[in-house]
Amino acid sequence: MFWQRCRLNAALGSSLVLVGMFGLGATVVTAQEAAGPDSEAAVLPAVPEWTQGLQTLQIDDELFNEGLAYYLIRDQHAQVAIEINGPLTRLIATSSRAGGVLIGPFDADEVGADESPLVAGSIRIPAASLTTGTGQDRTLHSGMALDVANHTDIAFVFESAKTLGRKPGTLADSTLFDLELQGSLIFKGKSVPLTVEAELTLMLSNETTFGSGFVGDVARLTGEFEVTVEQLGLVPRVAAFLGETAQVRFFLMFSTPDPERPIIPPSTPAAVSLQTRYRVSLRDRADAATAFAAGEQLLKAAWDDPGALVAFATSAAADTGLSRRFLGQAKRAAERVLVLGGDSPDPMALNVLARIAGTAGEVQQAIDLQTKAIELATHGRAARAKPIMQRDLALYEYMLAERKASEER
Amino acid sequence: MLKQRLFLGGAAAWLVAGASMVGAADWTRFGGPDGNFTVAAADLATSWGEGGPKELWRVEFGEHGHSTLLVEGERVYALVRRGDDDVLAAFDAGSGNKVWEAAVASPVPEGYNNQFGPGPHATPLIVGNRIFTISATHVYRAFDKADGKLLWSLPLKDALGVRQMGRGYGASPVAWKDTIIVVGGGDDQGVVALKQETGEVVWKALSGGGYSSPLITEIDGVPQVIAALGPVRAGLDPDTGAVLWKIDLPETASTTFGTQLVADDHLLFSSSAYSDGSRILDVRKKDGEWQAEVLWYTRKMRLMHGTAVRSGNLVLASSGDFGPAFLTAVDIESGDLAFRARGFAKANVVKIGDKILLLDEDGKLALLSVRADGVDVLAETEGILSGVTWSAPAVVGSRAYLRSRTQIVVLDLGADAQGSAGGH
């Protein structure tokens, strides 16, 4: 039976500890805080990428022929929280940087009554991505706890799954499975057996999933489990401080597109494929890091191409459905378009800059830029966008009036 | 068969073609001789060795586009993109030497969604001495087959006010008597017949538009052009455009990009990716009235933009859109899943006798034998082409004419050819 034929090859080199110490360290200034709230570094998670070559699960070809790989979607679709309620402290650390893969069925209705829909899976978290949002991070990441300097990843791998229950889902033509995942928690080079109860929701691609921005078939894995400080291998004085157990909760969304393979093969020229990658990463995969990197590449590749730059700037500033906006990139692109345009400023670039100014609260500047953009929008795409520009101008004027009224009051 | 009666041009050219070509039908339109990506059996090698099948010639040509190559006699015709131009060229089938080239400006308009590239996506059509092309921007053109001279050009946007399709026009034309029949777009002009000689509009019918190519076929002895426009499937009289039958499918069926397939006299296979799946429509004339009904529907086959073929009682295609795309087979009568085969990226398939030639988007080529519950890979080779390969192979005799967005390669898959030096 396919679902029992998984071959695990856990070539795990490193790992973790799920807890840390709390409130003991000095205030930690995160990269985000150091960079300031308005910078784009503040938007990007300051965590390391995966350790090169750290492959937690290698899947036999024969197995691959019989099931689908569901890849974990990062950021808001990958949430892991660890909560420790010790006698002297309380700690909640979260990460949205998990990665991993499930080997699941093609279709829920192909899973027999006695079969599990999952045969194997691997979920990893960069240890340094676990953060409390408080000064506890320094201790959490230190050698006393996660030891992120020496053990970059935390992992849970399972090679066996048992179905405890099954029922139709109420949303998105889904099927829900209650599962018992039997595997190993791996940290600091050690592996301990762990059984996790989880709920798996399988959703074939349909109007609901597509409308929600997911691409391909979707699997949602949620649940929680408890680990002991003994399982975590904490140093004794840390363990004594923490108490005996930690609760781990997870909400993980997977989908079938392979993140290593472009959804749509790159078109030419390069700027077009980079913009596609940018939009798909933000709209369909909520992968801000990939999108940001694509934006940087695009700015470099198309620095002298006003058409590509203005298209990118407009998309970055105005496209609907994007999970994040990197307005700094949009601004650089739009400003470069104006430089390249010389005495003939591109109204679409002015429109982008107006929007950015408006977002930043520079309302008078937004009005000036938008007015100029409307004046120049006499043909082509800019002419078609004119009604939207006029709508935005009305908004800025309203904002300015409100501000003045507020100041007078 | 009706299809065999449509094209008599080029027969003389067979006489001067190579021995391996004798008796093989030319590939002069989308879908090949019968429009269903199926050709007669050839004496194919069942193993290729480490070097792959014997390569006859290879050229770098074009920067983009997904049109299938056309082959007629001793000529190979390719339609590609280069810069802002659509470029049609003729090559010598034996040597790969370019015989002529015609470039026409075809800039994409502002707002064009370049996700799939600037095209051209539609495959040209050879009828008599003309080659008909369609750009991604809905410009229909006729060229002289002998020298590439542009005979006429018809921007359908100007002539009929057809709206630009977001990702570029994709449907290939078909021939009927002295007309070509194309997908148009808009109210009452979803399907349009143009005079081959002048481009003049002969008739227009149905509303809507779409990326899927129309089919010319016969059902119950009645010639008809079958169109997929949005969620509508319909059969039209190719002489007049009169609607013979029409069926409205759910809106999700609007995303039909791939080949439709008339699998039998009455059975029409139609498939969409994304939120939809595949259906078999039973179309027949009963008591003087046309009827069309859905026999089955399954989501286990979701054809995005590739080809589908009939093999015995199975329909085979690469199923999947944004996730993995497995070679999938469903039973034509029941819609039951027969098998899925992994190991290939999104692919186009052509049936040669009882074998399947598969070319995936990564440029992997394979020769397959189909079983009821799977396929046997007889031969395969990686990287036969570089660049994205979304064009279906053209097959004439034992020769396979392949292209990616930037390359053309011609292979001899014949049993006799593999012993000699070759490979790619």
Side-chain angles (χ1 to χ4, degrees):
Chain A
M1 187 59 73
F2 142 61
W3 308 112
Q4 278 74 43
R5 268 192 279 132
C6 167
R7 183 182 301 171
L8 267 185
N9 185 351
L12 288 159
S14 56
S15 35
L16 84 90
V17 161
L18 288 180
V19 283
M21 278 285 296
F22 347 66
L24 301 180
T27 300
V28 173
V29 179
T30 65
Q32 297 176 2
E33 291 161 345
D38 295 331
S39 76
E40 283 169 357
V43 184
L44 289 173
V47 295
E49 287 302 313
W50 296 114
T51 309
Q52 289 294 316
L54 184 68
Q55 178 69 34
T56 53
L57 183 63
Q58 292 178 350
I59 299 158
D60 186 272
D61 285 346
E62 191 177 347
L63 176 67
F64 247 119
N65 282 335
E66 297 185 54
L68 278 186
Y70 292 76
Y71 299 93
L72 186 46
I73 307 169
R74 289 185 180 180
D75 294 334
Q76 75 261 38
H77 300 302
Q79 298 175 25
V80 178
I82 299 166
E83 180 174 346
I84 300 167
N85 287 296
L88 298 176
T89 192
R90 181 166 190 250
L91 176 148
I92 300 175
T94 61
S95 170
S96 60
R97 297 291 292 162
V101 63
L102 299 177
I103 303 304
F106 290 100
D107 192 343
D109 70 10
E110 294 179 19
V111 182
D114 299 328
E115 290 181 325
S116 164
L118 297 184
V119 63
S122 166
I123 296 154
R124 294 185 296 160
I125 308 169
S129 70
L130 277 164
T131 178
T132 61
T134 73
Q136 294 171 307
D137 282 4
R138 176 170 291 181
T139 310
L140 178 69
H141 294 166
S142 75
M144 287 188 289
L146 300 180
D147 193 11
V148 300
N150 296 307
H151 302 288
T152 56
D153 296 294
I154 298 166
F156 174 65
V157 294
F158 65 92
E159 64 272 26
S160 151
K162 182 177 166 188
T163 298
L164 305 176
R166 170 181 179 156
K167 59 187 177 187
T170 55
L171 288 173
D173 194 22
S174 57
T175 306
L176 272 62
F177 296 88
D178 292 321
L179 302 177
E180 188 178 88
L181 311 175
Q182 294 156 345
S184 302
L185 183 65
I186 301 161
F187 58 92
K188 287 187 173 176
K190 293 179 184 172
S191 169
V192 293
L194 185 69
T195 298
V196 175
E197 289 196 4
E199 182 184 85
L200 176 77
T201 306
L202 289 176
M203 290 169 271
L204 275 179
S205 167
N206 60 35
E207 294 93 332
T208 306
T209 58
F210 203 69
S212 301
F214 290 98
V215 179
D217 298 342
V218 178
R220 186 183 77 175
L221 191 69
T222 61
E224 62 179 90
F225 61 90
E226 191 174 271
V227 287
T228 66
V229 291
E230 187 180 3
Q231 285 175 304
L232 297 175
L234 293 183
V235 297
R237 72 186 179 93
V238 175
F241 192 74
L242 283 173
E244 294 180 349
T245 61
Q247 290 293 125
V248 180
R249 292 186 293 276
F250 54 92
F251 174 94
L252 305 169
M253 298 294 292
F254 300 78
S255 67
T256 45
D258 183 345
E260 299 301 318
R261 185 184 178 87
I263 289 174
I264 295 171
S267 177
T268 51
V272 174
S273 62
L274 287 167
Q275 187 171 337
T276 299
R277 190 189 307 168
Y278 179 90
R279 292 181 68 247
V280 167
S281 298
L282 284 179
R283 190 194 59 204
D284 300 331
R285 300 203 64 85
D287 186 347
T290 298
F292 185 80
E296 289 299 307
Q297 285 179 268
L298 188 147
L299 286 169
K300 190 174 176 185
W303 193 239
D304 294 321
D305 181 349
L309 288 173
V310 78
F312 169 69
T314 304
S315 172
D319 271 2
T320 56
L322 302 187
S323 56
R324 291 191 185 177
R325 292 209 184 279
F326 297 120
L327 294 179
Q329 289 182 334
K331 187 177 181 186
R332 283 154 58 200
E335 288 176 343
R336 177 65 178 167
V337 171
L338 294 181
V339 169
L340 293 171
D343 294 335
S344 304
D346 185 326
M348 292 303 290
L350 293 170
N351 178 52
V352 169
L353 293 173
R355 183 171 287 235
I356 293 169
T359 305
E362 302 292 341
V363 184
Q364 186 58 56
Q365 187 185 4
I367 291 171
D368 294 344
L369 288 163
Q370 197 73 81
T371 303
K372 185 70 175 170
I374 291 167
E375 180 189 323
L376 296 174
T378 55
H379 61 279
R381 187 179 181 187
R384 291 196 295 277
K386 204 168 179 176
I388 296 172
M389 294 185 194
Q390 287 165 331
R391 184 202 65 190
D392 288 350
L393 178 60
L395 175 65
Y396 303 143
E397 288 170 342
Y398 173 79
M399 288 166 65
L400 187 63
E402 279 290 296
R403 180 178 292 178
K404 284 179 178 170
S406 175
E407 286 168 359
E408 286 169 9
R409 282 196 296 270
Chain B
M1 280 297 275
L2 165 78
K3 304 121 193 169
Q4 308 291 11
R5 283 188 253 126
L6 295 175
F7 311 111
L8 298 175
W14 285 5
L15 300 175
V16 293
S20 65
M21 309 277 284
V22 173
D26 288 332
W27 193 287
T28 57
R29 61 166 166 163
F30 187 67
D34 293 336
N36 57 3
F37 292 94
T38 298
V39 295
D43 184 16
L44 302 181
T46 52
S47 68
W48 294 339
E50 288 185 8
K54 182 176 182 181
E55 182 176 311
L56 299 177
W57 52 270
R58 171 186 295 266
V59 295
E60 301 289 326
F61 188 59
E63 298 167 356
H64 225 293
H66 306 114
S67 307
T68 299
L69 298 170
L70 298 183
V71 185
E72 188 183 53
E74 59 182 3
R75 292 282 180 270
V76 177
Y77 301 92
L79 177 66
V80 302
R81 183 79 173 180
R82 198 169 57 208
D84 277 344
D85 294 342
D86 281 0
V87 181
L88 179 67
F91 295 87
D92 180 85
S95 66
N97 293 331
K98 196 187 294 176
V99 180
W100 55 257
E101 176 181 299
V104 286
S106 198
V108 295
E110 283 190 61
Y112 178 90
N113 185 332
N114 211 13
Q115 208 171 26
F116 293 162
H121 306 301
T123 294
L125 167 70
I126 298 174
V127 189
N129 293 321
R130 301 186 186 93
I131 301 182
F132 301 93
T133 69
I134 309 177
S135 72
T137 53
H138 294 247
V139 180
Y140 302 71
R141 298 184 177 99
F143 295 86
D144 189 318
K145 191 176 68 179
D147 56 11
K149 181 185 173 190
L150 181 63
L151 301 174
W152 55 260
S153 176
L154 178 71
L156 220 57
K157 181 168 175 283
D158 298 340
L160 296 175
V162 169
R163 194 165 55 89
Q164 172 67 46
M165 297 183 74
R167 291 175 172 79
Y169 187 94
S172 304
V174 292
W176 176 252
K177 296 180 181 173
D178 62 346
T179 67
I180 61 168
I181 298 174
V182 300
V183 170
D187 293 342
D188 300 320
Q189 54 186 29
V191 183
V192 180
L194 307 172
K195 270 199 171 174
Q196 291 174 7
E197 190 175 352
T198 61
E200 178 189 346
V201 174
V202 177
W203 58 255
K204 46 188 184 169
L206 279 179
S207 295
Y211 295 91
S212 185
S213 302
L215 293 174
I216 281 277
T217 190
E218 247 177 36
I219 298 179
D220 282 334
V222 178
Q224 50 194 281
V225 56
I226 294 177
L229 301 180
V232 171
R233 307 291 179 268
L236 287 74
D237 181 333
D239 285 324
T240 65
V243 177
L244 302 174
W245 58 268
K246 176 173 170 285
I247 185 168
D248 292 298
L249 302 176
E251 275 298 322
T252 51
S254 298
T255 52
T256 295
F257 300 167
T259 321
Q260 298 195 95
L261 183 66
V262 180
D264 201 83
D265 281 350
H266 298 99
L267 300 182
L268 171 66
F269 171 80
S270 186
S271 185
S272 308
Y274 313 115
S275 301
D276 204 61
S278 297
R279 294 174 181 79
I280 281 285
L281 275 62
D282 184 291
V283 181
R284 64 181 67 231
K285 198 170 189 181
K286 198 171 180 183
D287 301 328
E289 296 289 323
W290 283 99
Q291 296 179 344
E293 62 172 329
V294 176
L295 289 187
W296 54 256
Y297 165 74
T298 180
R299 278 183 52 86
K300 296 186 191 304
M301 171 79 90
R302 289 185 276 168
L303 178 60
M304 190 179 180
H305 53 63
T307 64
V309 295
R310 171 84 181 266
S311 180
N313 221 32
L314 303 178
V315 176
L316 274 91
S318 190
S319 173
D321 35 57
F322 294 134
F326 305 105
L327 181 64
T328 301
V330 293
D331 185 283
I332 190 81
E333 291 177 355
S334 66
D336 290 344
L337 178 73
F339 62 80
R340 292 188 181 96
R342 203 154 180 163
F344 305 105
K346 193 177 298 170
N348 282 292
V349 288
V350 172
K351 185 161 177 277
I352 310 172
D354 60 352
K355 306 286 192 306
I356 300 292
L357 186 69
L358 178 149
L359 178 64
D360 77 16
E361 67 179 5
D362 294 341
K364 180 195 267 190
L365 186 73
L367 187 67
L368 312 172
S369 172
V370 181
R371 292 182 276 105
D373 60 352
V375 293
D376 295 318
V377 179
L378 304 174
E380 65 178 327
T381 187
E382 302 269 359
I384 203 85
L385 289 158
S386 64
V388 177
T389 305
W390 280 357
S391 304
V395 178
V396 178
S398 63
R399 291 187 184 180
Y401 299 80
L402 316 177
R403 67 162 288 210
S404 66
R405 289 175 178 172
T406 57
Q407 290 184 326
I408 297 172
V409 62
V410 178
L411 306 170
D412 190 339
L413 306 179
D416 293 342
Q418 306 312 309
S420 53
H424 73 279

